[in-house]
Amino acid sequence: MNLRLYPLSLVLFLLLRPTMSSNQHDYSDALSKSILFFEGQRSGYLPNDQRMTWRRNSGLSDGWTHNTDLTGGYYDAGDNVKFNFPMAFTTTMLAWSVIEFGELMPPSELRNSLVALRWSSNYLLKSVSQLPNRIFVQVGDPIADHNCWERPEDMDTPRTAYAVNAPNPASEVAGEITAAFSAASIAFRSSDPSYSQTLLQNAVKTFQFADTYRGAYSSNDDIKNDVCPFYCDFNGFQDELLWGAAWLRKATGDESYLNYIESNREPFGASDNVDEFGWDNKVGGLNILVSKEVIEGNMYNLEAYKASAESFMCSLVPESPGTHVEYTPAGLLYKPGGSQLQHATTISFLLLVYAQYLSRSSLSLSCGTLAVPPDYLRRLAKKQ
């Protein structure tokens, strides 16, 4: 039932551009509905301004098995489980969307986006409230839940809270939560500086757990059968460590995180050619994010990340030389496996972000002898 809740909203945020003409898709309406979707996924005590009024409070006992409050957050999809790994990725991407493209959004939808972002961030703060010794990674028995189709207001399946205690590892979950807090801290920096600082402080603390106790959360025997095969760590935890450190670098400007992503790129496998980006594999997005420091900040010691980002972008351009990603006959980005559209949407997001970086510096994408202007990357994303 992995109907990932994150991709649809992300690209719609970005495609809302002032140049849209009236005979094209109504991105404004799609944007509004995409943000509204998050309200339909809410768990916990719903606020008075809840727009989806047919939804009610749910999951109010979450955390009771550990005598802690784990209410709130978002249900994963059509089920009633709160998987912190993909939810944290959703949070990171929502924040990144606001950071890069919030100024293009109508004020009302920017506000709704920040409300959606705060809803997940508040829940994730609860998930790390017992650090440095414990992190919560999931709420809800996924087997029982998936065997019982019911709305969250009526659910009677076990609301088990799954925790990882030090020195057991949870690097991918903690690393992604680090990225989420860091990105959200930037998104809230101007509108709520105090909350922004709270998020950043917790990002630092969460990264310490991720990096100190290295390993996959799905390697812990006591929870392995409850996180797998749903959001098992298939790709390894090292990319989340780099991803979290890169976002901490962006949020703090701290040189220690710069050194971390520079020195660990090859040991952590980020030098491999990667043509995907999603909840389990962050390398494609990592390269794009870090490349901004090279393009706009002249941080040439990170040139290897930019080279990988350009290689990925060039693989999406059919006219460029070299190896290309696969498209369907009608032009949809194609990756074997389930949840096909998550690949098309997240990669489209990266196309638009990279086009933004290039445009700001009056640059083009260099694909061998072919110079690809930023608007071409935008057209590729719009085609998706």
Side-chain angles (χ1 to χ4, degrees), residues 265-284:
R265 178 178 176 269
E266 290 196 14
F268 285 1
S271 58
D272 300 336
N273 288 329
V274 174
D275 60 356
E276 63 179 289
F277 177 51
W279 64 266
D280 186 40
N281 191 327
K282 309 306 186 323
V283 176

Side-chain angles (χ1 to χ4, degrees), residues 39 46 48-56:
E39 292 193 20
L46 302 188
N48 293 331
D49 61 355
Q50 169 80 14
R51 292 179 293 168
M52 284 190 173
T53 55
W54 48 268
R55 284 296 321 278
R56 295 290 186 270

Side-chain angles (χ1 to χ4, degrees), residues 15 19 92-93 124 128 137 158 189 240 255 266 291 362 380:
L15 292 176
T19 55
T92 307
M93 296 301 291
L124 293 173
V128 301
V137 298
R189 186 174 287 165
E240 277 81 27
E255 291 291 314
E266 290 196 14
S291 69
S362 301
L380 272 181

Side-chain angles (χ1 to χ4, degrees), residues 28-302:
S28 180
D29 183 58
L31 173 69
S32 298
K33 288 183 170 63
S34 295
I35 301 170
L36 183 63
F37 173 75
F38 283 95
E39 292 193 20
Q41 298 297 109
R42 282 175 172 172
S43 178
Y45 292 93
L46 302 188
N48 293 331
D49 61 355
Q50 169 80 14
R51 292 179 293 168
M52 284 190 173
T53 55
W54 48 268
R55 284 296 321 278
R56 295 290 186 270
N57 298 337
S58 61
L60 302 185
S61 65
D62 287 359
W64 73 270
T65 53
H66 287 78
N67 195 31
T68 193
D69 177 14
L70 293 176
T71 57
Y74 293 116
Y75 296 117
D76 178 58
D79 53 43
N80 302 325
V81 183
K82 296 189 295 196
F83 295 100
N84 291 11
F85 190 17
M87 193 196 307
F89 180 65
T90 300
T91 307
T92 307
M93 296 301 291
L94 187 56
W96 198 3
S97 300
V98 170
I99 293 166
E100 298 290 353
F101 301 99
E103 63 184 14
L104 299 175
M105 299 169 64
S108 61
E109 295 305 347
L110 177 58
R111 175 196 170 276
N112 289 333
S113 299
L114 290 173
V115 168
L117 180 57
R118 189 184 294 263
W119 191 271
S120 54
S121 297
N122 283 347
Y123 167 76
L124 293 173
L125 285 171
K126 295 177 181 180
S127 298
V128 301
S129 63
Q130 295 185 14
L131 288 178
N133 299 315
R134 172 183 287 169
I135 184 171
F136 292 95
V137 298
Q138 181 175 309
V139 178
D141 182 326
I143 304 297
D145 181 276
H146 285 195
N147 286 331
C148 185
W149 187 265
E150 58 187 353
R151 66 186 197 135
E153 291 85 351
D154 300 328
M155 62 183 168
D156 53 5
T157 50
R159 300 301 294 169
T160 309
Y162 298 88
V164 174
N165 299 314
N168 296 307
S171 293
E172 68 280 78
V173 182
E176 187 57 63
I177 292 176
T178 298
F181 286 157
S182 301
S185 77
I186 301 172
F188 282 108
R189 186 174 287 165
S190 60
S191 62
D192 194 340
S194 176
Y195 186 60
S196 172
Q197 189 60 30
T198 295
L199 291 170
L200 195 53
Q201 290 168 350
N202 279 273
V204 172
K205 180 173 64 173
T206 306
F207 185 73
Q208 289 173 346
F209 184 93
D211 196 40
T212 301
Y213 309 111
R214 292 183 181 179
Y217 84 129
S218 53
S219 67
N220 295 298
D221 290 337
D222 54 338
I223 67 169
K224 179 167 57 178
N225 294 331
D226 294 294
V227 301
C228 294
F230 308 99
Y231 290 98
C232 200
D233 179 26
F234 300 103
N235 186 63
F237 62 87
Q238 294 89 344
D239 55 325
E240 277 81 27
L241 290 176
L242 290 169
W243 179 240
W247 274 107
L248 273 171
R249 162 66 182 174
K250 184 175 178 67
T252 65
D254 193 314
E255 291 291 314
S256 66
Y257 299 117
L258 174 65
N259 295 334
Y260 187 97
I261 59 178
E262 183 181 2
S263 61
N264 286 307
R265 178 178 176 269
E266 290 196 14
F268 285 1
S271 58
D272 300 336
N273 288 329
V274 174
D275 60 356
E276 63 179 289
F277 177 51
W279 64 266
D280 186 40
N281 191 327
K282 309 306 186 323
V283 176
L286 169 71
N287 289 329
I288 297 295
L289 178 67
V290 176
S291 69
K292 183 179 182 181
E293 293 230 36
V294 183
I295 295 172
E296 298 182 8
N298 298 321
M299 298 294 296
Y300 296 115
N301 51 327
L302 299 173

